[in-house]
Amino acid sequence: MMQALLIANCVFNAFFSFTAITLNIVTIIALRKPLTIPRALKILLLSLAVSDLGVGLLVQPLYITRLVMMIKENTQTRYFDITLNSFYATGTFLSYATFFGVVALTADRFLALHLHLRYQELVTHKRVVAVVISIWILSAIPMLLFIWIPNAAKIISVPVDSVCYLTTAFFYFKIYLAVRHHSNQNHVLQAQLSQNNEGDMTNAARQRKAAVGTFYVYLVFLICYLPSTYLWIIYISAGPSTMLFQFGLYTNTLIYLNSSLNPLIYSWKMRHVRHAILEILRNILSHPHQ
């Protein structure tokens, strides 16, 4: 039974590692093109795509290596310890980079809908870049804690995760109220449109579409990350068990699946990103040998 679970997770992660690498590379290239999406949103999506690419390039291969060594019952070696520690360190670092990236993405859409015309003035390029740098620095802290003080890393993970979950839930609740309010306003303004009102409504519609698109990123993120958080709470309170380990194999794989799903969501819900990605793919397919 255990062997079958290990083999199944090896297969899943090998496939999703390939899709995460391929889809996120194409997404990064697409996001670097001139697109008619807010600059702050583009920078935050780029940061998220880089962390997802790192999962496919580093974390999943290390996870597969760990599982293969367990299948071969080759766990009492120094190489296995190095692989395990490298897996936990990079996994912690990149998972939190994604986690904090989703929180920043949510906060950005919240500000875009609530600040209106002041958004461009307050959410500047330099400030967004500073936020992204802060995200990566903050993500390194849990990794360093895991390396130096493993017990401390285990203790702080649940409260930090809980704060992030609650923060994003609060932001999206406020976004929902703002979108509903703007929709009601638009119905009233349609009867008395001026040219300026039409421009304001177009901008508001664009912001709503971006908010809805990032909401799907958040929703899939919850589906992929929450099971692991719940399992970790059970592990801390009840201690290790074979059943928890078995479920943990799949909750880890579900987290890594998120890195393959995010680019698909960008393509599905963000028209300009989708067109840029399709153009890149057409160029690759039409010039396969160049």
Side-chain angles (χ1 to χ4, degrees):
M1 178 63 177
M2 181 65 74
Q3 291 283 86
L5 288 174
L6 294 171
I7 292 170
N9 278 274
C10 281
V11 173
F12 290 149
N13 280 278
F15 176 74
F16 292 135
S17 175
F18 172 77
T19 57
I21 293 168
T22 305
L23 293 174
N24 282 291
I25 287 175
V26 173
T27 300
I28 290 168
I29 296 170
L31 288 170
R32 288 180 59 84
K33 290 177 173 290
L35 300 175
T36 55
I37 62 174
R39 196 174 185 184
L41 177 60
K42 183 191 289 191
I43 294 170
L44 292 172
L45 288 175
L46 268 171
S47 176
L48 202 54
V50 169
S51 63
D52 286 336
L53 176 61
V55 169
L57 277 173
L58 299 173
V59 182
Q60 287 179 286
L62 285 169
Y63 188 49
I64 294 167
T65 304
R66 173 199 176 192
L67 296 181
V68 168
M69 296 181 77
M70 292 176 70
I71 292 169
K72 294 182 175 180
E73 298 182 355
N74 190 19
T75 58
Q76 304 300 318
T77 64
R78 178 175 172 77
Y79 181 62
F80 178 80
D81 292 338
I82 294 171
T83 301
L84 190 63
N85 289 331
S86 300
F87 160 68
Y88 280 131
T90 55
T92 301
F93 176 57
L94 292 168
S95 293
Y96 273 105
T98 297
F99 210 151
F100 296 148
V102 170
V103 175
L105 204 59
T106 309
D108 173 71
R109 294 301 86 202
F110 169 79
L111 293 173
L113 284 170
H114 280 76
L115 293 177
H116 304 297
L117 298 177
R118 295 184 64 216
Y119 173 76
Q120 296 289 346
E121 175 189 344
L122 296 176
V123 184
T124 62
H125 174 72
K126 287 184 179 179
R127 286 174 180 172
V128 176
V129 170
V131 167
V132 169
I133 293 171
S134 300
I135 285 170
W136 287 90
I137 292 173
L138 286 172
S139 302
I141 294 173
M143 178 188 70
L144 294 173
L145 279 175
F146 169 78
I147 294 171
W148 294 331
I149 318 170
N151 289 332
K154 293 175 183 177
I155 292 169
I156 70 162
S157 63
V158 172
V160 170
D161 291 359
S162 300
V163 168
C164 290
Y165 285 131
L166 291 173
T167 302
T168 48
F170 169 78
F171 279 141
Y172 269 114
F173 176 70
K174 299 293 286 185
I175 288 170
Y176 165 75
L177 295 178
V179 168
R180 190 174 67 173
H181 175 69
H182 290 164
S183 297
N184 293 337
Q185 272 190 329
N186 285 350
H187 288 307
V188 174
L189 288 171
Q190 276 175 352
Q192 45 184 356
L193 263 180
S194 67
Q195 188 172 3
N196 288 337
N197 282 337
E198 187 174 2
D200 291 343
M201 287 175 64
T202 302
N203 181 61
R206 189 180 298 117
Q207 296 291 6
R208 287 199 303 274
K209 285 182 179 180
V212 170
T214 56
F215 173 74
Y216 282 96
V217 173
Y218 166 68
L219 187 62
V220 171
F221 165 79
L222 283 183
I223 293 169
C224 292
Y225 273 71
L226 270 177
S228 180
T229 302
Y230 289 143
L231 202 69
W232 187 243
I233 293 171
I234 295 170
Y235 174 85
I236 291 174
S237 58
S241 70
T242 302
M243 184 175 291
L244 281 179
F245 176 79
Q246 291 174 348
F247 277 116
L249 293 174
Y250 285 107
T251 57
N252 283 341
T253 298
L254 192 59
I255 286 176
Y256 307 142
L257 170 63
N258 182 247
S259 296
S260 295
L261 295 178
N262 280 338
L264 297 178
I265 298 170
Y266 309 151
S267 301
W268 172 40
K269 299 304 297 183
M270 300 180 188
R271 179 168 53 90
H272 299 290
V273 177
R274 178 171 68 250
H275 289 171
I277 289 174
L278 290 175
E279 181 186 348
I280 292 167
L281 293 176
R282 277 196 296 268
N283 289 335
I284 292 172
L285 293 174
S286 60
H287 303 92
H289 300 300
Q290 291 185 10

